[in-house]
Amino acid sequence: MSTPYGTPGPGYGTPGGPAVFDPTTLPADDNVTPYTFCVELKGSQWFLQKGKMIAYYGSMEFNGIGHGRLDRLVRTSFHSPLHASDWVVAEGSGKMLLADRAFDVNSYDLEDGNLTIRSGNLLAFQPSLALKQSIVPGFLTLIGTGKFVAASNGPVVFMEPPIRVDPQALAGWADCPSPCHHYDHGYMTGVMGGLRALTGLGGASGEEHQFEFVGAGTVLLQSTETLMAEQATGAVPPDAGVPGSGAAHTGPSQVAGGQRLPGQLGDLQRRFGL
Amino acid sequence: MAFREINPKMVEATVMPGQKLFSQRGAMLAYKGEVSFTPNMAGGQGGLLSMIGRRVADEDTPLMTVEGSGTVLFGHGGHHVHVINLAGDTLCVEADRLLAFEGTLQQGTMFLGSQGGVMGMVRGQISGQGLFTTTLKGHGAVAVMAHGGVFEIPITPQRPVHVDPQAYVAHHGDVRNKLSTALGWRDMVGRGSGEAFQLELSGSGAVYVQASEEKL
Amino acid sequence: MGGRRPGGPERASKGAVRGDVHLWELLAAGACGYLRCVAMFRLQGSKVLAVDMTGDAVKAKNGSMVAYDGQMAFKKMSGGGEGLRGMVTRRLTGEQMTVMEVKGHGTCWFADRAAEINLVNLQGDKLYVESSNLLATDAGLRTGTSFTGLRGASQGNGLFTTTVEGHGQAAIVSDGPAVVLRVSPQYPLTVDPGAYVAHQGNLRQSFQSGVTFRTLMGEGGGEAFQIRFEGDGLVYVQPSERNTIAGEV
């Protein structure tokens, strides 16, 4: 089964075999396969989550966010202090391939818009966009004009409000007013709900608690429970009067489980859905 | 057709008044309209017996009754979803692989050991999937989950099929199952102890196998 | 969706017609049963390898068979094609892959933890593949072990790579469908060690400790190293940053 992308070239590789790419046949800022995205750098810069670059042609440099020379760029485009250590800036010229644990990847174009995405799903974005932490824990908001690349478990399904979504299946949303919580009353007061409330056993699943979206916009869904890496975001400094402050461990981002070092076994488990 | 495959990992179900669905807890991804999800302590129509069966088999997967009017998206854990349509025959499937199925299907529990004898017992222990399998009978659609997608192998009287118990998902038709050991198979030092055995399916029907030896 | 029937129209396209192909290979492309029988590799979907056999044999990763029909015999490989030394080396380097030989009449289905399968046609050239990524080969292909040095070390999963040589088909697995990238003298390629799956052709590899990369990402360990390929050939990379399919992290 050959992919619909690209065409086989001459030389090594055989007709009817897999498509073979080189810098001239790789797409520019487009998908190579549903799981691999190619970014073209022409002296330009991209923000990139660490470890998501799988290969590149050309000459490129990858510098950490803390790098002094990048101060100005970071000041205008990167507003998520919790994430600074997870991101690098790629610059140079050539083509690089991005991928994330064999999840589906897609690019999104914003034109003077805003889109909020689950923090673990965001792979890369152009500096013309500004990255901010959403007030919904575990989500990041991109504002401005430009392109970004995000992963999802299975293709992203776009839905229109009104809709209620299992928080774990929510990949993100665009233009919607912030989601609110919806608790299924019948479920919570039922026998099981009572038991659960008393014993704490059974946890919560999407059936009794959803995020509800109303108004105009688009909701992005993916098929997942806890497969994607979660990263704590949205935690706020302990200031008086700021909702959620001092309670950084509540909300869906609690699974973050401290620092995630690349190569940790946790990655493996997530990848295999354990 | 109750289930529409939106992508390999998601199905959309249309719920209408008077037509209920059953789904695994946690399988709902999103819904539109007025839809209610009620946990089903008795495990569908199987009643108490099926409940006990489930306990014994450690298949403690409570089902939800889905009713109302609207559309529901189902998916679970990023697993691949496969829809099987039944037209009067019986499908055998491990309970924890059931994502959702139509209420028109009659649900029961089958003791796999009754066919394979002692070996059947062993099978349950090997694959860790319990001695009991859920059976679904009648006319309707079933959405099952598998690691990495499923493919179907037809079983004909002349051609029995051997399946790695870990990769087995479901089967339907007039099929007998028993555990067997292939020549030299035991010498293999596999990843799991299950490698030493194969599930032999004979008769006529089809078996669904997943693209992985990893059980859900 | 719907499972495809074996033997259906999706027969392997063994359309590997290039230059010096022998007559029997061309014949084997259409059907089987002349001078030598070649096991037919075909993909059932993208994650299952179906092999149709008529008395011939394939070598496959141990435990990767998910189903078969017909008559099959399984034999654990010890000493066989790659030699005892290869096996011993594997043991020493902690690579746990063992190989079985499947021989018989019928169809055999192989899969490896839902990994994506890529078919590679070899026409006398040599394929270098991480041993954990090698799923199955034609029994006629020679497999061996080759020293790969640093890459393994930086990745922590052994210093040796499997080589496959000869004429025939091999199936390699990757976490997500592999992207095949061409390396030519004017286009050298740099690859993340975790995404590397296999390569073929006349390539030199060197290990870059991307300086800027390392100073800022140092805490991650292996990330600091990148492999640079130069020469003429193909590199298979997977859309995943760690080579963890059945391998050690």
Side-chain angles (χ1 to χ4, degrees), chain C residues 3 7 9 22 45 57 68 82 84 90 92 108 118 122 141-142 144 149 157 160 193 199 203 205 210 215:
Chain C
H22 299 291
Y68 70 87
E82 64 190 297
L84 200 59
R90 290 245 166 79
L92 289 177
C108 212
N118 311 271
L122 288 177
L141 289 171
R142 291 183 302 282
N157 68 349
F160 294 85
H199 74 267
L203 291 177
Q205 35 178 328
T215 46

Side-chain angles (χ1 to χ4, degrees), chain B residues 71-96:
Chain B
T71 52
V72 187
L73 292 182
F74 290 110
H76 192 71
H79 289 299
H80 284 245
V81 182
H82 188 80
V83 176
I84 299 170
N85 287 299
L86 290 181
D89 48 344
T90 304
L91 180 81
C92 273
V93 59
E94 307 291 344
D96 50 3

Side-chain angles (χ1 to χ4, degrees), chain A residues 180-197:
Chain A
C180 49
H181 297 280
H182 173 88
Y183 290 93
D184 188 323
H185 185 71
Y187 195 104
M188 293 311 283
T189 52
V191 184
M192 291 264 295
L195 274 177
R196 198 165 298 125

Side-chain angles (χ1 to χ4, degrees), chain B residues 6-120:
Chain B
I6 290 187
N7 65 46
K9 295 177 176 179
M10 251 189 238
V11 291
E12 184 189 75
T14 308
V15 188
M16 280 177 285
Q19 290 180 13
K20 61 182 173 185
L21 295 174
F22 293 103
S23 76
Q24 190 179 116
R25 189 169 121 82
M28 187 275 288
L29 298 175
Y31 68 89
K32 287 167 89 79
E34 280 310 310
V35 182
S36 73
F37 300 84
T38 322
N40 199 326
M41 291 297 282
Q45 305 138 322
L48 193 62
L49 197 67
S50 134
M51 175 86 173
I52 292 168
R54 221 159 252 131
R55 278 288 136 72
V56 174
D58 200 19
E59 290 185 340
D60 198 6
T61 317
L63 289 172
M64 317 281 295
T65 307
V66 185
E67 284 166 305
S69 83
T71 52
V72 187
L73 292 182
F74 290 110
H76 192 71
H79 289 299
H80 284 245
V81 182
H82 188 80
V83 176
I84 299 170
N85 287 299
L86 290 181
D89 48 344
T90 304
L91 180 81
C92 273
V93 59
E94 307 291 344
D96 50 3
R97 289 189 184 273
L98 272 178
L99 185 73
F101 58 94
E102 284 186 83
T104 51
L105 291 169
Q106 208 182 350
Q107 192 195 349
T109 307
M110 194 180 91
F111 185 56
L112 271 183
S114 64
Q115 281 191 343
V118 180
M119 290 306 259

Side-chain angles (χ1 to χ4, degrees), chain A residues 215-241:
Chain A
T218 309
V219 179
L220 284 64
L221 297 178
Q222 65 180 3
S223 165
T224 186
E225 297 296 305
T226 47
L227 280 173
M228 302 293 288
E230 285 270 355
Q231 290 179 331
T233 60
V236 281
D239 286 341

Side-chain angles (χ1 to χ4, degrees), chain C residues 157-195:
Chain C
N157 68 349
L159 296 159
F160 294 85
T161 300
T162 300
T163 54
V164 185
E165 226 177 329
H167 289 262
Q169 280 185 302
I172 57 178
V173 289
S174 54
D175 188 10
V179 174
V180 191
L181 297 169
R182 181 185 312 284
V183 176
S184 52
Q186 70 268 37
Y187 295 128
L189 175 73
T190 312
V191 174
D192 182 281

